[in-house]
Amino acid sequence: DIQMTQSPSSLSASVGDRVTITCRASQNIDNYLNWYQQKPGKAPNLLIYAALHLRTGVPSRFSGSGSGTDFTLTISGLQPEDSATYYCQHSYTTLYTFGQGTKLEIK
Amino acid sequence: EVQVVQSGAEVKKPGESLMISCKTSGYSFTTYWITWLRQMPGRGLEWIGTIDPKDSETKYSPSFQGHVTISVDKSVITAYLQWSSLKASDTAMYYCARLDYSGSLGWLDPWGQGTLVTVSS
């Protein structure tokens, strides 16, 4: 199985900050990497697919990069509504696995 | 608008059976696989399995194989997740999601709202 490791597990930042979350795969996954946002008590929502493509309707302050084993999710100009847990997920094999999540708190 | 809407919360006893549903709308049901996922209380997301509504080809995570069954009914454009004998450890939120794709790339969008399953004696 491909293991996905996110860092940090949690972070706290202020409105307007630039935040970066990283995701590392245990083997090469090319660009088969997606990012999701989950707010408390809600279902996850897709943010970015295929490593860098923004889902329609997602604010442009979210961006993704990376290829191979190392990926990043960046939020430029943090907003209060960005308080959530963020998950990366690979789709390189049928058994999709997720990172453990990064909980983002707004100060 | 593409939507997936799940059935409501369930409270069951250990050993009971259960089927929860995921009704789709707004797209061609047989064109996209449906995936089921689990989120245990306070924990992350786990992939249970996925089904092709076109021919019911199903793929399961080894962690769930043999304990759950995924199926579809094309006549009502609905996918199902079922247990024949629940355990207390099945207590969790369960999500379904459409597996969107481009070539061999896949991603989960949209997601259902979740079905909370509570198993307690």
Side-chain angles (χ1 to χ4, degrees), chain A residues 31-32 34 36 38 42-46 49-50 55 87 89 91 94-96 98-100, chain B residues 37 39 43-47 50 59 61-62 95 99 104-109 111-113:
Chain A
N31 63 333
Y32 289 68
N34 308 310
Y36 302 88
Q38 185 177 32
K42 300 293 187 181
N45 286 308
L46 177 70
Y49 62 97
R55 184 195 186 275
Y87 293 95
Q89 171 244 327
S91 60
T94 303
L95 205 171
Y96 293 5
F98 292 80
Q100 80 278 16
Chain B
L37 306 102
Q39 188 168 39
R43 306 295 294 273
L45 297 161
E46 301 172 271
W47 183 80
T50 189
K59 301 178 182 181
S61 163
Y95 295 103
L99 180 55
S104 57
L105 291 159
W107 54 90
L108 300 170
D109 184 48
W111 293 58
Q113 80 278 20

Side-chain angles (χ1 to χ4, degrees), chain A residues 5-90:
Chain A
T5 304
Q6 288 181 233
S7 61
S9 296
S10 64
L11 75 156
S12 181
S14 300
V15 172
D17 283 354
R18 183 173 184 266
V19 167
T20 298
I21 298 169
T22 65
C23 178
R24 174 164 287 175
S26 59
Q27 68 176 72
N28 172 51
I29 57 170
D30 292 332
N31 63 333
Y32 289 68
L33 191 282
N34 308 310
W35 290 97
Y36 302 88
Q37 176 193 64
Q38 185 177 32
K39 296 186 177 181
K42 300 293 187 181
N45 286 308
L46 177 70
L47 290 175
I48 288 170
Y49 62 97
L52 54 81
H53 298 279
L54 201 64
R55 184 195 186 275
T56 301
V58 173
S60 58
R61 63 181 179 273
F62 291 90
S63 64
S65 65
S67 182
T69 60
D70 294 311
F71 302 86
T72 60
L73 172 69
T74 300
I75 311 173
S76 301
L78 201 60
Q79 297 299 304
E81 61 266 29
D82 299 334
S83 177
T85 299
Y86 294 85
Y87 293 95
C88 64
Q89 171 244 327
H90 85 82

Side-chain angles (χ1 to χ4, degrees), chain B residues 20-111:
Chain B
I20 61 176
S21 67
C22 173
K23 184 168 177 62
T24 71
S25 61
Y27 72 97
S28 173
F29 184 60
T30 55
T31 301
Y32 298 85
W33 293 55
I34 294 286
T35 296
W36 285 95
L37 306 102
R38 182 176 78 174
Q39 188 168 39
M40 300 179 78
R43 306 295 294 273
L45 297 161
E46 301 172 271
W47 183 80
I48 296 172
T50 189
I51 188 166
D52 182 351
K54 174 168 50 64
D55 58 9
S56 292
E57 178 184 355
T58 311
K59 301 178 182 181
Y60 293 96
S61 163
S63 300
F64 293 90
Q65 178 91 45
H67 187 55
V68 298
T69 301
I70 296 172
S71 60
V72 296
D73 183 338
K74 288 188 281 189
S75 69
V76 291
I77 51 174
T78 298
Y80 302 94
L81 178 67
Q82 67 179 82
W83 296 258
S84 59
S85 181
L86 286 160
K87 304 175 183 178
S89 57
D90 292 319
T91 295
M93 182 71 80
Y94 292 86
Y95 295 103
C96 67
R98 188 184 75 161
L99 180 55
D100 201 349
Y101 64 94
S102 175
S104 57
L105 291 159
W107 54 90
L108 300 170
D109 184 48
W111 293 58

